[in-house]
Amino acid sequence: MAEELMGAGPKARAAKKRGLKDRALDALGLQRKKKRAPEWRKRDYFNLALKRGIEGIPDERCFVLQNVVRGLRHVPGDVAECGLRFGKSTAFMLAADEAKRTYCLFDSFEGLSAPQAEDALSDTGKAYWDQADLSVPEDRVRANLAGFPDKTLLFFKGWIPERFPEVADRTFALLHVDVDLYQPTRDALEFFWPRLAPGGMVVCDDYGSRKCPGAKRAFDEFFADGRGRLIELPTVQALVLKPG
């Protein structure tokens, strides 16, 4: 048995070990203790979005966004999201948002723009992403986000920041940035921060991701002057609250 385990791959070895443990427990008349789902997975607003079955960012990050938007219920303004992919994060925010807001949704629907030098990984000297990675057709995203009759969704197809001027007269309570690269992240911060209401918040989806050093650099540079205090989360997200 030891030789059989040594010759198997990591996943196969783990499965065999679990099988051995289960048989040992059965022989003793015992059962493996089942892990209980964390309480946050039982929230109604979480499961309302989860049942849509949309692909995308991890559930933990979606739950963070849900609680951010719920916490901003008394902050005036709309929601801006840069980078939608399948629309999963949007759906989770919509399911949890207790305020009547307009969601301004920006995406090229052609994947990522071209990485720059700021997006290079420290160990390889090259960007993890290529141009056009993570592309999802607009009609699929729209279909994923259908069925929220009490919310207004405005889609802005194009490369960031080309269509930002169309919302220049709006105030925002929340900016969610998930564009993975340095320049579009920096462009989003430069445009939306002055339009963010006092008490509003910015969320970076991939601040702590090894794949997205450019996103982290853009946030670190923009907030280096102390205009907002950045909080890094173990989900790899980062939150910034606008004072006031």
Side-chain angles (χ1 to χ4, degrees):
M1 179 58 72
E3 291 180 359
E4 186 179 348
L5 286 174
M6 288 298 292
K11 290 185 178 179
R13 289 199 299 270
K16 287 180 181 293
K17 287 181 179 179
R18 285 196 298 271
L20 288 171
K21 289 179 180 178
D22 287 341
R23 287 197 292 273
L25 289 170
D26 287 343
L28 295 171
L30 302 174
Q31 291 183 340
R32 183 187 292 272
K33 185 177 180 181
K34 294 182 179 180
K35 292 184 178 180
R36 296 180 60 183
E39 290 300 311
W40 60 267
R41 283 192 169 274
K42 302 175 185 177
R43 303 290 184 260
D44 290 343
Y45 52 85
F46 176 80
N47 284 286
L48 182 64
L50 186 67
K51 68 182 182 182
R52 287 176 168 255
I54 304 173
E55 298 177 63
I57 66 173
D59 292 348
E60 291 81 358
R61 294 190 215 171
C62 290
F63 187 70
V64 168
L65 285 170
Q66 287 191 311
N67 279 272
V68 166
V69 79
R70 287 169 67 84
L72 296 174
R73 64 176 66 88
H74 298 305
V75 177
D78 297 323
V79 172
E81 185 167 39
C82 299
L84 309 179
R85 204 181 178 198
F86 295 102
K88 181 178 179 180
S89 56
T90 321
F92 273 79
M93 288 190 289
L94 289 165
D97 198 346
E98 298 173 301
K100 289 187 177 180
R101 306 184 193 276
T102 296
Y103 277 65
C104 299
L105 308 174
F106 297 85
D107 202 292
S108 69
F109 301 106
E110 297 178 25
L112 299 177
S113 54
Q116 299 182 349
E118 293 87 350
D119 300 303
L121 305 180
S122 60
D123 56 345
T124 66
K126 298 179 180 180
Y128 179 87
W129 303 109
D130 291 321
Q131 186 172 1
D133 278 352
L134 308 178
S135 176
V136 178
E138 182 180 1
D139 58 353
R140 183 173 180 183
V141 179
R142 285 181 175 271
N144 285 341
L145 298 178
F148 290 100
D150 59 333
K151 300 294 192 299
T152 301
L153 278 62
L154 302 178
F155 289 85
F156 297 88
K157 181 179 181 178
W159 297 105
I160 290 174
E162 291 175 351
R163 300 197 63 184
F164 285 175
E166 296 176 47
V167 298
D169 61 345
R170 292 180 177 270
T171 299
F172 295 88
L174 173 62
L175 167 65
H176 180 223
V177 186
D178 184 10
V179 289
D180 297 10
L181 303 175
Y182 173 83
Q183 193 58 55
T185 299
R186 185 66 189 243
D187 289 339
L189 293 173
E190 293 281 1
F191 181 85
F192 285 103
W193 183 258
R195 294 169 175 81
L196 198 69
M201 189 169 288
V202 180
V203 180
C204 179
D205 176 72
D206 35 39
Y207 179 84
S209 172
R210 174 188 170 276
K211 302 174 185 178
C212 307
K216 182 179 187 301
R217 179 170 178 173
F219 265 74
D220 288 345
E221 288 180 357
F222 188 80
F223 293 107
D225 62 1
R227 70 183 86 185
R229 180 171 294 180
L230 187 147
I231 302 170
E232 186 174 5
L233 304 181
T235 56
V236 312
Q237 293 162 297
L239 313 178
V240 185
L241 179 68
K242 188 168 186 177

